[in-house]
Amino acid sequence: MTAHKAEAATAQGGAPELIKAVPVRHPGRWVGAAVILLLVALGIQSLATNPQFHWETVALYILDVNVVRGVGWTLLLTVLSMVLAIVLAVLLAVMRQSDNPIFRWSSWVWVWFFRGTPVYTQLLFWGLVTVLYPTMSLGIPFGPALVTWVLEDPTRGFIPAVLGLGLNESAYLAEIFRAGLKSVDKGQAEAAEALGMSRGKIMWRIILPQAMRVIVPPTGNETIGMLKTTSLVLAVPFTLDLTFVTNSLANRTYLPIPLLIVAATWYLVITSILMVGQHYIEKHYGKGIESGAPPVNPAAAKAAAAGTAPTGTAPTGVEPGEAIPGGPTVTGKDIEESGR
């Protein structure tokens, strides 16, 4: 309703008519929701009625000692690989921003190589490294060797698996960390240098805490991805992880589907826990950045509801306590002022 019609209605002694707002209808949303609910119902029916899932076998092996041990090895692979990758990624990101061209190009070549070759191929290589280098020597280049030792793997593939996963992941994390470091304004470092802080202290106390809000979300995703990438360590070969253990049990029982469900269930449980941890870490480093609604002045809100100017905050030309133009009328109804 325009202001003229409202004024005419008020002049005739009656209250202005209220606009009868009709909500916008969204039939597409209801159709989409109905389709999703139908698909969910069909999925639940299939899971409950299809005997090929063999839920009794799933219940039998979900807490099997070999499966639980496989979960432990998978978690250990994930943690150690990510620790190695994070340490290398921080170093590579700092080298990439160095003034030394050798550092910059070394970091770039590392990222280019490990990001450009498949992780499965790298795991195969690390599994065959003792074939490529049966012995290692330390001495003068093209001269006599001072120290020589035989390469062997007493961990039965565990160390090569950690190296393969960690070095591959470091290339991806290096780019994530570099983006986080570049997100911090250069003025922060310049101000810290003006205060006499060393470069190491500036990086540790000034730059990294501010860059973490950019670094944490993709690093959390990479951690979840690393958890699932451990299923490829058979290429080394390492045969104690969750995927290999469940595949071995499936070959023994000739029931691959329920054992795949067992592995998928464990991966989902671990991933869910990691997602919860990622949420709280993001919340911690996002303090002061992600704010909700802007703060509301209680006096201004109360005055706006009453249609008067609060004390000390009256607009120009309006005395405190005086009715604000456009505020509620004596009848308590809002009148649109846009037509004036």
Side-chain angles (χ1 to χ4, degrees):
M1 177 181 293
T2 64
H4 298 293
K5 292 183 178 180
E7 290 175 355
T10 306
Q12 294 176 2
E17 295 184 16
L18 296 178
I19 298 175
K20 185 178 181 181
V22 178
V24 179
R25 294 178 175 83
H26 301 280
R29 296 181 183 179
W30 291 102
V31 173
V35 171
I36 292 175
L37 292 176
L38 178 61
L39 293 176
V40 170
L42 291 175
I44 294 175
Q45 179 188 9
S46 175
L47 293 175
T49 59
N50 192 337
Q52 300 302 322
F53 284 108
H54 294 282
W55 293 109
E56 67 282 356
T57 306
V58 174
L60 178 64
Y61 285 101
I62 192 70
L63 295 177
D64 182 79
V65 61
N66 294 318
V67 173
V68 175
R69 188 181 296 117
V71 171
W73 281 107
T74 298
L75 288 174
L76 188 60
L77 277 172
T78 303
V79 171
L80 293 181
S81 299
M82 286 303 298
V83 169
L84 175 62
I86 289 173
V87 172
L88 290 175
V90 173
L91 180 62
L92 291 168
V94 174
M95 289 173 61
R96 190 71 177 273
Q97 294 185 326
S98 173
D99 296 332
N100 191 321
I102 297 179
F103 283 174
R104 289 201 309 271
W105 282 101
S106 298
S107 175
W108 183 88
V109 170
W110 181 285
V111 173
W112 167 77
F113 178 79
F114 284 101
R115 201 170 58 168
T117 54
V119 62
Y120 191 84
T121 303
Q122 296 177 33
L123 290 172
L124 284 172
F125 171 82
W126 285 105
L128 297 172
V129 70
T130 55
V131 177
L132 184 62
Y133 297 103
T135 60
M136 295 290 290
S137 301
L138 181 63
I140 301 174
F142 304 104
L146 302 178
V147 180
T148 302
W149 65 92
V150 178
L151 280 184
E152 56 182 358
D153 180 22
T155 62
R156 298 181 179 181
F158 181 75
I159 292 179
V162 171
L163 288 175
L165 294 173
L167 297 184
N168 176 266
E169 184 63 32
S170 67
Y172 294 91
L173 288 181
E175 293 298 284
I176 293 173
F177 283 21
R178 184 170 68 91
L181 295 178
K182 290 179 73 67
S183 68
V184 181
D185 189 84
K186 291 182 178 180
Q188 298 283 332
E190 293 172 355
E193 287 180 358
L195 294 175
M197 299 177 66
S198 64
R199 288 194 174 184
K201 195 171 185 179
I202 292 172
M203 178 63 66
W204 184 254
R205 299 293 298 273
I206 305 298
I207 305 299
L208 276 179
Q210 298 183 69
M212 288 300 289
R213 66 182 182 86
V214 178
I215 293 173
V216 167
T219 302
N221 294 337
E222 291 294 323
T223 304
I224 293 173
M226 174 64 73
L227 172 70
K228 295 176 287 186
T229 307
T230 57
S231 61
L232 301 177
V233 294
L234 174 62
V236 173
F238 182 70
T239 58
L240 297 177
D241 68 291
L242 176 60
T243 297
F244 187 87
V245 168
T246 52
N247 286 342
S248 300
L249 293 173
N251 294 333
R252 186 188 309 169
T253 59
Y254 300 101
L255 294 172
I257 293 178
L259 271 302
L260 288 175
I261 294 176
V262 169
T265 301
W266 276 109
Y267 281 119
L268 283 172
V269 169
I270 301 171
T271 299
S272 301
I273 296 173
L274 292 176
M275 290 175 65
V276 172
Q278 177 184 352
H279 167 74
Y280 283 104
I281 295 175
E282 289 182 17
K283 186 176 180 180
H284 172 74
Y285 284 106
K287 291 179 179 178
I289 302 298
E290 297 179 359
S291 58
V296 177
N297 186 343
K302 184 177 180 181
T308 60
T311 303
T313 60
T316 304
V318 180
E319 297 295 331
E322 184 181 348
I324 300 176
T329 63
V330 292
T331 58
K333 304 298 182 181
D334 290 334
I335 296 180
E336 184 181 357
E337 294 290 335
S338 59
R340 296 184 180 178

